[in-house]
Amino acid sequence: MNDLSGFEAGACGPKPRILVLANQKGGVGKTTTAINLGTALAAIGEKVLIVDLDPQGNASTGLGIDRRSRQVSTYHVLTGETSLAQAITETVVPRLFVAPSTLDLLGVELEIANERNRAHRLRSAIQSLTEREVTDLFTYILIDCPPSLNLLTINALAAADAVLVPLQCEFFALEGLSQLLKTVEQVRSALNPQLMIHGVVLTMFDPRNNLSGQVVADVREFMGNKVYETMIPRNVRVSEAPSHGKPVLLYDLKCAGSQAYLRLASEVIQRERALRAA
């Protein structure tokens, strides 16, 4: 179902802020952060679209979108078969929408590899959404990327205003971060001069683990004030929520993970205000 069909076109509001959640390493809490940050932003009044660019489709599943119902997906958007507006689906969370993904995305790189605009397919799709005058629906667009630096991730970075990096509190965290920062710089030079690092969010933090504390100290020394104050704790309720097709804020609002994502959403909005005022 295209859930934009019920909205009338009208005067466009401000351009939505496009944040890409990227990390070439898997298992760092990237999709979990996309789902729950999107939910937290929606909970405090923002209108949010999550674009699922990961072929695994975990963001779509975690928001309750059944795989059998994904007749139109981001695969069809990137191949030009359909518009982004047609792929957008309502979720169980008020003011939160998703453009779901399917395993077809695994082959999209080969299909568009010889196209001149292959790195700008997603940016063009989002611009077309603007031209349809429906972006007054969205104040934030969050793009969930696959755990690799492939053409899907490049499309996301080329379309985005800023990058939000989920970083697990583990030994090799900084090594992976350095590689991602190099890719961001390459995209900024070649494809998207306005791209910036919005912030680094430390995930799966365990205060009982000495290594977690050392990683936090190292990342804050390396990235300075780019690291959000909020850290996402290792929390069983956060891990359980996707199996129920719900963000953790709907599954258990009072748990430590939910409260952390609400604080992160507030911090993201504070940084946005500071950027606008600068």
Side-chain angles (χ1 to χ4, degrees):
M1 176 184 175
N2 172 13
D3 289 283
L4 294 182
S5 56
F7 293 98
E8 295 182 4
C12 274
K15 179 179 176 292
R17 286 289 289 174
I18 305 169
L19 307 181
V20 54
L21 288 92
N23 191 322
Q24 71 275 17
K25 297 187 70 176
V28 299
K30 178 177 51 60
T31 297
T32 300
T33 298
I35 292 170
N36 291 298
L37 175 60
T39 301
L41 287 168
I44 57 180
E46 302 294 336
K47 295 180 181 178
V48 185
L49 170 65
I50 294 178
V51 177
D52 191 349
L53 277 195
D54 189 342
Q56 297 176 75
N58 290 338
S60 307
T61 303
L63 286 166
I65 309 301
D66 186 84
R67 290 186 182 276
R68 291 167 293 183
S69 69
R70 302 176 202 175
Q71 301 301 312
V72 181
S73 71
T74 50
Y75 164 80
H76 301 100
V77 174
L78 291 180
T79 57
E81 295 176 45
T82 190
S83 68
L84 180 56
Q86 290 172 305
I88 293 171
T89 301
E90 193 173 16
T91 74
V92 294
V93 180
R95 294 185 299 277
L96 179 64
F97 298 78
V98 63
S101 86
T102 60
L103 286 170
D104 294 332
L105 272 178
L106 288 168
V108 78
E109 194 158 354
L110 286 174
E111 291 190 44
I112 66 174
N114 295 322
E115 302 291 334
R116 289 186 63 184
N117 69 335
R118 60 186 176 273
H120 293 300
R121 287 298 183 98
L122 183 59
R123 185 166 78 178
S124 296
I126 292 173
Q127 286 174 343
S128 295
L129 194 64
T130 305
E131 291 164 8
R132 284 173 58 95
E133 297 189 320
V134 294
T135 52
D136 56 321
L137 292 173
F138 307 116
T139 50
Y140 284 92
I141 297 176
L142 306 181
I143 307 172
D144 186 33
C145 293
S148 57
L149 298 176
N150 59 14
L151 187 55
L152 292 170
T153 303
I154 297 302
N155 260 270
L157 293 172
D161 296 307
V163 186
L164 194 157
V165 186
L167 203 67
Q168 186 179 356
C169 294
E170 62 168 14
F171 183 67
F172 292 111
L174 276 177
E175 186 177 290
L177 179 60
S178 297
Q179 186 178 350
L180 177 62
L181 293 177
K182 288 179 184 175
T183 301
V184 169
E185 190 54 48
Q186 289 168 348
V187 170
R188 184 161 38 219
S189 299
L191 299 170
N192 184 1
Q194 280 74 49
L195 186 65
M196 60 175 288
I197 299 292
H198 196 280
V200 176
V201 58
L202 293 159
T203 64
M204 303 180 200
F205 175 71
D206 185 349
R208 301 166 298 179
N209 186 330
N210 289 335
L211 176 61
S212 279
Q214 186 58 54
V215 170
V216 170
D218 290 347
V219 174
R220 291 196 186 282
E221 182 179 0
F222 182 62
M223 293 296 294
N225 61 8
K226 284 293 184 183
V227 185
Y228 299 106
E229 289 298 322
T230 303
M231 295 186 290
I232 310 301
R234 190 176 290 278
N235 182 254
V236 67
R237 306 300 272 175
V238 172
S239 303
E240 289 172 353
S243 66
H244 296 269
K246 293 179 179 180
V248 71
L249 278 87
L250 290 190
Y251 183 63
D252 185 351
L253 177 61
K254 295 183 179 179
C255 77
S258 292
Q259 295 302 306
Y261 277 114
L262 285 169
R263 289 195 300 274
L264 178 63
S266 178
E267 199 170 346
V268 166
I269 288 175
Q270 286 172 9
R271 291 197 180 194
E272 286 293 306
R273 287 174 180 158
L275 286 169
R276 284 195 293 269

